[in-house]
Each structure stands twice: as C-alpha cells, then as structure tokens.
Amino acid sequence: LIGLSSAAQVTLGRGEFGQYLSINLGFGIGVTLGIHAAGGISGAHLNASITLTHCLLGNLPWKKFPVYLLGQFLGSFLAAATVFGIYYDALYDYTKGNFTVTGPTATAGIFSTYPAPYMSLMGGFLTEFIATMMLFLGILVIHDEKNNGALKGTQALLTGILVLGIGLAMGMNTGYSMNPSRDLPPRVFTAIAGWGVDVFTAGHGWWWIPLVAPTLGSLFGVLIHKLFIDFHNQSVLESGNEKRRTDVEIS
C-alpha cells in the first residue's frame, strides 16, 4: 500500500511530490512495517517466491503454502484497489480518463512492473533473477545467527534497507518486482479497473517474468548462502565446540 502510493504520488504529481528515491523509500518502509506486523504471527511471508522456496527446502509445511499465497495475493490486490480509490481523481486528471499501459500518460506502472523500452525479455529476466537472488541472500544473512546475524529487533529495518538498496541499484531496467505477490494481483486489478488486457501483452508479454524469475532467483540465493556461508558456519561451530571441549579437559 505504501509502495504503490509512493509510485502514484511521484507519477501523478509530475515530479513535484517526490522522485525515484521516494518510491524506493516507500517500498522499503512498507516492507519494514509489514515484517513488524506479521513477523511474530506468520514469519512475515510477504513474497510468494520466498514462501515457495521455504516449502521446497522443508522449512514450511506445504499445507500452509496455499493459505500464505492467498493472504499475499489478497493483500496485494486490496492494496492496489485502495491506491486506485485514493488517487482516482488524480488518475483521471492526469490521463483525462484514458488509462493506458504505454505512452506519455501511462499509469499502469504505478501498480505493476513493466520493462524499460530498451529491455529485452532475456535482459529483464536476468535483472529480476539477480535482484531476487540478492534479496533472499540478504534476508538469509540478516537472520543468520550462526554467522554475524543482525541484532535482535533490527531485522525488519535491515530488510527494508535491503529492499531500498536493491531498488536504488537495480530498479531502472524492470522496476525490481522480485515478488509474484507484489506484481500479479495489482496487474489483475488494473486489467479489471480499466487498463484492459494490455497489462498482459505489454513488454512482449512481460507479465510472466515477475513470476518465474524471482522464484528461480530465490532458489539460487539459497544455493549461494549454503555453499559460501552456511556450510562454513558449520565448520566454525564444530571447531569452536571442539576447542571448548579441549579447554574443559585441560581444566
């Protein structure tokens, strides 16, 4: 809700009420608040690709997956509807009632991500793959108490800053969706609310990239963490335990 609202304000305000940084800050703050709101209840699963990855790894029972997915999609759809309601007058004034996906007064990008005009599907796929890999790798590192995890209580803030950093670094090409739950429900809403089927055909049929690339990126982020951090955590812990046992025997 905060992220989409910030995008609406920047676009419809014609640059007078914020810039690209405003959108990144909006999504970062939104993620931080979402984790604080749902972290203790459900683990704050705000991203379908990360939820699916946890299920594949056995960290989350599969019976919870459809429930989490429904919650994510419903929340995202309602957020898009709320932003549409809040900014309807501004949308109408900006577009003169002609809601378009492309062109000088395009507004569909307020709700879902679309590739820049110069982007190929392959380039966009790679961008979303790497961005989501960095997102989940960062989340794993922040919560890695065996290594150098974040101080208790700061994980939500740091995850929000992580989202902000990825947006500042990799947002130009595709709008850094990194999350099927953040992209598909608002896209469905815009198709219903007046933008039509163009939301699925624009960008050479871009709509499926924010579904597939983040899922594969999440899995690769886990692989990177396992190979280069977690396996070495185990070695450090074992050597530390061995040293402590030796010290006890000497005492």
Side-chain angles (χ1 to χ4, degrees):
L1 177 59
I2 296 175
L4 297 185
S5 292
S6 63
Q9 184 162 281
V10 169
T11 301
L12 303 177
R14 295 176 170 87
E16 296 182 12
F17 296 92
Q19 301 294 332
Y20 179 66
L21 176 61
S22 306
I23 300 174
N24 294 304
L25 286 169
F27 275 103
I29 292 169
V31 166
T32 298
L33 292 176
I35 294 172
H36 276 297
I41 306 297
S42 66
H45 282 246
L46 311 178
N47 187 324
S49 63
I50 292 178
T51 300
L52 177 61
T53 301
H54 277 301
C55 289
L56 291 171
L57 294 173
N59 298 332
L60 185 73
W62 279 101
K63 65 181 181 181
K64 290 188 176 183
F65 180 70
V67 182
Y68 278 41
L69 200 66
L70 176 63
Q72 292 164 15
F73 275 47
L74 181 61
S76 189
F77 186 90
L78 292 176
T82 302
V83 171
F84 180 77
I86 292 172
Y87 285 100
Y88 179 78
D89 291 338
L91 275 164
Y92 198 91
D93 177 70
Y94 185 81
T95 65
K96 302 299 183 287
N98 183 27
F99 298 160
T100 59
V101 179
T102 59
T105 58
T107 47
I110 291 172
F111 299 92
S112 295
T113 61
Y114 295 87
Y118 57 80
M119 286 301 297
S120 65
L121 279 180
M122 184 60 68
F125 189 100
L126 181 64
T127 298
E128 286 294 322
F129 176 87
I130 293 176
T132 314
M133 178 197 75
M134 291 302 301
L135 173 67
F136 199 25
L137 177 60
I139 290 172
L140 292 171
V141 168
I142 288 169
H143 290 83
D144 190 352
E145 296 180 357
K146 293 181 293 184
N147 183 24
N148 190 25
L151 294 175
K152 186 176 181 180
T154 65
Q155 293 94 338
L157 176 61
L158 289 173
T159 304
I161 293 173
L162 171 64
V163 171
L164 168 63
I166 292 173
L168 292 174
M170 288 180 261
M172 183 177 76
N173 288 342
T174 62
Y176 73 112
S177 169
M178 305 187 295
N179 182 357
S181 309
R182 170 263 179 276
D183 196 85
L184 182 60
R187 195 179 299 273
V188 172
F189 173 81
T190 50
I192 297 170
W195 282 265
V197 295
D198 286 352
V199 301
F200 292 103
T201 59
H204 306 290
W206 167 259
W207 70 273
W208 65 273
I209 301 289
L211 306 183
V212 178
T215 301
L216 297 177
S218 294
L219 290 167
F220 198 72
V222 172
L223 178 64
I224 294 293
H225 182 261
K226 285 289 184 185
L227 289 178
F228 297 104
I229 298 174
D230 195 43
F231 288 157
H232 304 282
N233 281 343
Q234 299 292 340
S235 301
V236 171
L237 284 173
E238 289 169 5
S239 62
N241 291 335
E242 190 66 37
K243 182 179 183 300
R244 281 193 291 274
R245 282 196 296 270
T246 303
D247 291 342
V248 169
E249 289 170 1
I250 292 173
S251 299

